[in-house]
Amino acid sequence: MDELILLKTIRNPWLNRATQSLAHGSGLRDNLRPQLERFFELLEQAVETGDASWLDSILQVWATSLTESELENSWSNLTAFLRDLLTLTFEISRETLTEGQALALMGVLLPVFAHASQRIAQYEMEAKVTYISNQLTQVRQTLERLDRSKSDFIAIAAHELKTPLTLIEGYAAILRESMESQKIATPGSSELLTGISSGTHRLHDIINDMIDVSMIDNNLDRKSTRLNSSHRIR
């Protein structure tokens, strides 16, 4: 095939120019030269067989090799890189071949690059979707851990509050009984003790609500939780 011979003719200048001009701007970095050599080999296969899908394998490798920052970009690194390769191929063809040969070669290569552009956009989008899905999974797992920590904190706090609350109630009851038995009540003391009692009852309700929330978060039935006296304050 004449076009294949023409393509082989521009191989060395193409590789040298591509390596020098694209090394700093591509996302392929240090191993650019071997990857460009592989790309050109597959390009030759595509021209020889008339099947542009020969390039799919390396295009997929490029898409899966994108860094995290590149995956976060809204613009396409690989599409721009492939466009640069096409431009460079056109320039090398004009410099190395006759005008007729360059036109003949580019006429064969343009459909191959069009296929490659479509595929690279697809593979890059798939890579970005996978990356975003993984990020969302990590966020969900983090939120689940935080939710479990919140539930554990509520359960521990409710349990720890029971003891001092019981002591307050006990001391208040002793104080009331002592004042009544010794008849040493002072003006307003009864109201103060009533206020303490009201406050402790309110704290009972709050702690019970905290226990209920903790149990609900742990997927326990709220009704059975209320019936379980071991988990509630009497």
Side-chain angles (χ1 to χ4, degrees):
M1 175 181 275
D2 292 340
E3 287 81 4
L4 181 59
I5 295 174
L6 295 175
L7 183 60
K8 290 180 179 295
T9 301
I10 70 169
R11 175 185 173 87
N12 288 334
W14 187 94
L15 287 172
N16 293 334
R17 182 81 62 82
T19 303
Q20 292 174 1
S21 62
L22 301 178
H24 298 295
S26 74
L28 308 178
R29 294 177 176 78
D30 297 336
N31 58 344
L32 177 61
R33 176 77 183 203
Q35 293 199 46
L36 288 174
E37 290 175 350
R38 180 59 179 160
F39 177 85
F40 203 91
E41 291 171 1
L42 295 174
L43 189 61
E44 291 175 341
Q45 292 285 349
V47 171
E48 184 176 13
T49 62
D51 184 3
S53 65
W54 276 93
L55 290 171
D56 291 359
S57 60
I58 192 167
L59 298 176
Q60 195 163 29
V61 169
W62 287 354
T64 56
S65 300
L66 291 171
T67 65
E68 181 175 324
S69 60
E70 289 164 344
L71 288 169
E72 290 174 349
N73 285 334
S74 58
W75 49 276
S76 172
N77 290 331
L78 293 179
T79 299
F81 179 70
L82 195 64
R83 184 177 63 246
D84 291 341
L85 288 180
L86 175 60
T87 302
L88 185 144
T89 303
F90 179 70
E91 293 173 353
I92 296 296
S93 297
R94 290 186 59 187
E95 296 171 6
T96 308
L97 307 173
T98 66
E99 183 176 350
Q101 291 173 332
L103 289 175
L105 178 59
M106 292 307 300
V108 173
L109 290 181
L110 282 175
V112 177
F113 272 92
H115 169 87
S117 180
Q118 179 182 5
R119 278 289 184 266
I120 202 68
Q122 172 189 340
Y123 294 147
E124 188 173 18
M125 181 59 65
E126 290 173 354
K128 289 184 176 182
V129 168
T130 299
Y131 170 76
I132 292 173
S133 297
N134 292 337
Q135 292 293 101
L136 290 175
T137 298
Q138 292 177 10
V139 170
R140 177 180 57 80
Q141 291 172 346
T142 299
L143 291 175
E144 288 175 352
R145 287 195 299 270
L146 289 173
D147 190 61
R148 286 194 297 270
S149 297
K150 179 259 300 182
S151 298
D152 292 342
F153 171 78
I154 291 175
I156 293 172
H159 176 75
E160 293 298 325
L161 285 171
K162 286 198 235 179
T163 300
L165 182 58
T166 301
L167 290 175
I168 293 173
E169 287 183 315
Y171 286 130
I174 293 172
L175 181 60
R176 181 185 292 276
E177 292 175 0
S178 175
M179 293 174 64
E180 290 176 351
S181 63
Q182 298 181 27
K183 302 184 184 301
I184 56 174
T186 60
S189 60
S190 178
E191 288 79 3
L192 293 175
L193 289 172
T194 300
I196 293 174
S197 178
S198 175
T200 55
H201 282 305
R202 175 57 182 151
L203 283 175
H204 272 302
D205 292 338
I206 293 173
I207 292 173
N208 283 335
D209 289 341
M210 292 171 66
I211 293 173
D212 286 342
V213 169
S214 175
M215 294 304 169
I216 291 171
D217 284 345
N218 285 288
N219 299 318
L220 296 178
D221 183 73
R222 185 182 180 93
K223 183 176 180 180
S224 64
T225 301
R226 288 189 176 278
L227 294 176
N228 188 347
S229 61
S230 65
H231 291 291
R232 297 182 57 82
I233 302 174
R234 296 296 185 183

